[in-house]
Amino acid sequence: MTTHSTFAAIAFTIGLMAAPLTSVLADDHTGEDEVEIINQMTFPADAVWKHSFDAYEGQAGEVNAALRRALAFSKAMEGQGVSPDRVKIGIVIHGPSVFDVAGDDRYGEKYYGLSNPNADVVAELVERGAEIWVCGVAAKYHKVGNAHLLNGVKMAPSGTVAHAELQRRGFGINAY
């Protein structure tokens, strides 16, 4: 078999293997091709999950995707019967996303008078015990000071330091 045909065979096989997964994950909202998903993963009652998220990009008037993923993770674990006090979440905010954890005044200065759509998500994450750390370097660059931050959001010296500290304490980092 030539190298070209070997690669073609591998690509074809991967395509066949991915097809069922794609059809399971496709969400066309028609209800015609619904599939049953049964969790086969177990979650020990005495375990603690420590997971962190990285937020860099933010869009005016939209909920930050990393904040949304962090909250979805917390709710998904709770939905599987894991006590919320056993799910520890860390979020590191840097780059332009520093505005996503600022109060309406500072957010509105940046985004044409808009109210911060992230405020409720941040409040729920903080209520669930999430640690939300802002990169001090990015905050200084974007002129977002401690006084601008939403309740429960804290300032770190830098995003790198915040990630290092979370990892030192056993937090994994979300890959996407």
Side-chain angles (χ1 to χ4, degrees):
M1 188 179 271
T2 68
T3 302
H4 178 70
S5 57
T6 301
F7 285 130
I10 291 170
F12 179 75
T13 303
I14 290 171
L16 286 177
M17 291 170 33
L21 180 60
T22 303
S23 65
V24 168
L25 298 178
D27 187 9
D28 63 1
H29 300 289
T30 63
E32 296 172 11
D33 296 324
E34 290 188 30
V35 296
E36 181 178 30
I37 304 296
I38 300 170
N39 175 43
Q40 296 176 301
M41 189 174 279
T42 58
F43 302 97
D46 62 344
V48 175
W49 288 265
K50 296 179 177 182
H51 202 53
S52 70
F53 297 80
D54 183 82
Y56 178 79
E57 295 292 332
Q59 297 293 324
E62 294 182 20
V63 174
N64 184 289
L67 295 172
R68 190 174 47 243
R69 280 191 300 273
L71 185 55
F73 169 70
S74 179
K75 289 180 176 183
M77 294 299 285
E78 188 175 357
Q80 292 304 312
V82 175
S83 174
D85 64 326
R86 295 198 170 274
V87 178
K88 309 298 181 193
I89 294 174
I91 305 163
V92 177
I93 308 288
H94 58 109
S97 66
V98 298
F99 293 101
D100 293 341
V101 293
D104 283 341
D105 288 346
R106 186 65 186 102
Y107 188 90
E109 286 175 23
K110 171 69 174 172
Y111 296 121
Y112 321 106
L114 293 176
S115 295
N116 188 343
N118 297 282
D120 290 341
V121 174
V122 168
E124 187 170 353
L125 284 163
V126 169
E127 184 178 311
R128 289 172 171 268
E131 296 180 42
I132 303 175
W133 293 99
V134 176
C135 169
V137 175
K140 184 172 184 164
Y141 176 82
H142 290 289
K143 297 180 176 33
V144 175
N146 292 64
H148 296 119
L149 299 178
L150 294 168
N151 288 333
V153 178
K154 299 174 185 169
M155 193 71 70
S158 72
T160 303
V161 169
H163 275 298
E165 173 56 17
L166 289 170
Q167 289 173 11
R168 185 192 67 76
R169 290 194 268 143
F171 282 73
I173 188 164
N174 201 62
Y176 58 92

